[in-house]
């Protein structure tokens, strides 16, 4: 379940530049205007004056100018409605193109980082790239005898309209066994729908979204495609004056959640978002940040420090303390890398104090581990058999008459539980020792065989089984970056079952 928005947490604010960084197919606002001109030729004339943005043009189309008669006002609004509908179709196609390719490594690491931080992510984008990155990242949040249960992107979106009627049992089971990140979609979403003309939002609903990157989709179909095709998308169009689009009941809940998050923010990071000065509602929202709040600005465009209208300068005028600016085509990827050191220090102790952690100890068996060594200087180093990030570990409870104290029962567990899961029973360590290492911030590096990419642990989490005596899972939250490979020192530490 999402954390209360009043809980002090880092806040990230996403704009169109974020989606563009995820995949070049995702258009920014002015590019939408160009594509609309091509698609709606003969139906709507998108005639931008020199220096006029697409947002300003669409705002003028929706504004009932006093010099226009009623027929002209309605005709312009009809054209604007067609434009908004076409925007959704364009973004559908762009999102499908993005989904056909693998997710960028930095995106998967970023959603894992947001989950570990319990961050509030406020987005002005309509697309579902963040949700689908979460689906792709397979962040474990639950456990059954068959397999770990991964975090679902749609479960972190809050507030949100109700979902469609459940089709399968899994549809109604939220797998958030503990707190995670919160995604606030202020301008609506491509998978939110309402009936035509429903200004209050009484017919609002969202469709199930199990999509993943790299062409992976839900195996079983859901919903009624013919019914959905005749519903309107609930997206607030990219106009300067949005007040007339804030009538639906879900909108105040979205903006109040964002206000509470901003009021309690420990840090705010703007990612590909320009905070248009003419968007007075969004600008006013920023004034709820604590005075002197540490702020980071990340964007492809390098800001001119002499320009009064540059975003960092406008944020400073609002009372924020802009401590860092990261620019360039790889700005977001570098942001993730730069956050790693501070995040490890901040999170390694906090997450390990998870209230769900049991009072008893556990033995932890590493998955996909070919070698577990102990270097005096660097602590534990887990070398994997392939490039899969082995963040899921299996824990067997040690309580009184534990199966680990009975060799025969332990052998049965190996055959019935460990081996079918691919667990390496030769690699056992106590949970308390693992917890001590993470708490002390002793380096636990996770490294594929080629040695080119290292992952460092930033958090520790205990996931209780949903199947009685089948054990627990230990999850190490990791982030990716370039780390120097340690030189071996001393002999390896051989671990074996007790």
């Amino acid at each position: 379940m999402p954390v209360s928005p009043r809980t002090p947490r880092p806040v990230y604010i996403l704009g169109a530049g974020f989606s563009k960084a995820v995949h070049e197919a995702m258009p920014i606002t002015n590019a939408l205007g160009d594509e609309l001109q091509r698609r709606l030729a003969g139906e709507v004339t998108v005639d931008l004056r020199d220096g006029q943005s697409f947002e300003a043009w669409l705002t003028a189309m929706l504004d009932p100018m006093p010099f226009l008669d009623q027929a002209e006002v309605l005709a312009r609004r009809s054209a604007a409605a067609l434009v908004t509908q076409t925007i959704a179709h364009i973004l559908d196609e762009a999102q499908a193109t993005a989904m056909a390719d693998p997710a960028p490594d930095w995106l998967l690491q970023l959603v894992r980082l947001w989950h570990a931080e319990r961050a509030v992510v406020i987005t002005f984008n309509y697309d579902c790239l963040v949700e689908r990155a979460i689906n792709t990242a397979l962040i474990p949040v639950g456990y059954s005898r068959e397999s770990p249960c991964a975090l679902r992107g749609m479960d972190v979106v809050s507030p949100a309209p109700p979902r469609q009627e459940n089709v399968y049992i899994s549809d109604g089971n939220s797998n958030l066994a503990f707190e995670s990140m919160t995604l606030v979609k202020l301008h609506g979403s491509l998978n939110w729908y309402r009936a035509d003309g429903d200004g209050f939002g009484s017919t609002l609903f969202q469709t199930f979204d199990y999509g993943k990157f790299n062409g992976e989709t839900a195996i079983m179909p859901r919903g009624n495609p013919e019914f959905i095709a005749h519903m309107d998308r609930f997206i607030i169009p990219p106009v300067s004056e949005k007040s007339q689009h804030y009538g639906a009941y879900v909108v105040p809940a979205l903006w109040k959640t964002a206000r509470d998050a901003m009021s309690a923010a420990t840090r705010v990071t703007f990612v590909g978002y320009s905070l248009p000065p003419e968007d007075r509602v969004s600008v006013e929202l920023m004034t709820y940040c604590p005075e002197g709040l540490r702020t980071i600005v990340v964007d492809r465009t390098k800001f001119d420090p002499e320009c009064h209208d540059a975003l960092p300068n406008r944020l400073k005028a609002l009372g924020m303390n802009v401590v860092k600016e990261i620019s360039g085509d790889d700005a977001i990827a570098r942001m993730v890398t730069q956050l790693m050191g501070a995040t490890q220090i901040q999170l390694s102790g906090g997450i390990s104090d998870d209230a769900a952690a049991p009072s008893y100890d556990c033995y932890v068996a590493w998955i996909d581990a070919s070698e577990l060594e102990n270097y005096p200087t660097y602590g534990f180093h887990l070398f994997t058999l392939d490039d899969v990030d082995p963040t899921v570990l299996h824990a067997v409870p040690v309580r009184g008459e534990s199966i680990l104290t009975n060799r025969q029962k332990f052998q049965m567990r190996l055959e019935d539980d460990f081996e079918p899961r691919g667990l390496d029973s030769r690699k056992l360590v106590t949970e308390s020792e693992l917890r001590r290492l993470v708490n002390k911030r002793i380096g636990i590096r996770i490294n594929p065989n080629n040695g080119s990419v290292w992952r460092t642990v930033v958090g520790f989490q205990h996931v209780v089984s949903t199947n009685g005596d089948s054990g627990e899972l230990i999850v190490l939250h990791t982030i990716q970056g370039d780390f120097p490979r340690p030189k071996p020192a001393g002999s390896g530490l051989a671990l074996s079952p007790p």
Side-chain angles (χ1 to χ4, degrees), residues 121-143:
V121 180
I122 299 171
T123 179
F124 291 89
N125 301 329
Y126 313 129
D127 59 66
C128 300
L129 297 182
V130 172
E131 296 97 303
R132 295 185 176 187
I134 292 171
N135 294 341
T136 305
L138 296 177
I139 302 169
V141 293
Y143 173 51

Side-chain angles (χ1 to χ4, degrees), residues 15 33 95 116 155 162 177 212 219 266 283 298 341 388 395 409 439 442 491:
Q95 181 172 265
D155 284 336
K212 298 180 182 179
I219 298 176
T266 57
V283 173
V298 184
V388 176
K409 288 185 178 180
N439 280 346
I442 297 175
S491 59

Side-chain angles (χ1 to χ4, degrees), residues 136-293:
T136 305
L138 296 177
I139 302 169
V141 293
Y143 173 51
S144 68
R145 190 169 182 81
E146 289 73 28
S147 63
C149 301
L151 180 66
R152 303 186 301 191
M154 61 185 178
D155 284 336
V156 305
V157 181
S158 180
R163 294 176 188 156
Q164 294 173 275
E165 183 179 355
N166 295 341
V167 179
Y168 303 102
I169 293 176
S170 60
D171 291 340
N173 295 335
S174 174
N175 56 17
L176 286 181
F178 57 93
E179 296 172 339
S180 182
M181 62 175 284
T182 301
L183 180 62
V184 185
K185 307 190 77 168
L186 290 180
H187 285 172
S189 180
L190 288 179
N191 67 325
W192 294 4
Y193 293 84
R194 65 177 170 183
D196 183 24
D198 177 13
F200 181 70
S202 58
T203 59
L204 258 174
F205 68 93
Q206 62 171 308
T207 58
F208 291 100
D209 195 327
Y210 293 96
K212 298 180 182 179
F213 280 81
N214 208 23
E216 296 185 49
T217 57
I219 298 176
M220 298 173 288
R222 286 164 171 80
N224 185 332
E226 292 184 0
F227 171 72
I228 294 173
H230 294 288
M231 302 291 282
D232 277 354
R233 303 295 179 90
F234 182 72
I235 59 174
I236 295 176
V239 293
S240 303
E241 177 52 59
K242 301 181 176 67
S243 298
Q244 59 182 302
H245 303 283
Y246 289 155
Y249 74 90
V250 73
V251 174
L254 289 166
W255 284 86
K256 289 176 182 177
T257 299
R259 179 202 62 190
D260 291 343
M262 295 295 283
S263 300
T266 57
R267 182 187 74 243
V268 63
T269 304
F270 290 81
V271 187
Y273 178 59
S274 60
L275 186 61
E278 61 272 16
D279 190 345
R280 57 183 180 82
V281 178
S282 299
V283 173
E284 186 68 18
L285 175 66
M286 303 308 152
T287 64
Y288 282 85
C289 290
E291 185 73 21
L293 180 68

Side-chain angles (χ1 to χ4, degrees), residues 406-424:
N406 184 305
R407 187 66 63 175
Q408 182 179 2
K409 288 185 178 180
F410 182 74
Q411 186 63 36
M412 292 173 60
R413 173 57 68 91
L414 290 181
E415 296 173 357
D416 296 341
D417 191 29
F418 277 22
E419 293 175 1
R421 294 178 186 278
L423 302 175
D424 189 345

Side-chain angles (χ1 to χ4, degrees), residues 18 22 103-112 114 129-130 133 213:
F18 175 85
V22 171
D105 286 341
W106 63 260
L107 177 61
L108 299 181
Q109 293 298 339
L110 185 56
V111 295
R112 291 176 182 136
W114 285 340
L129 297 182
V130 172
F213 280 81

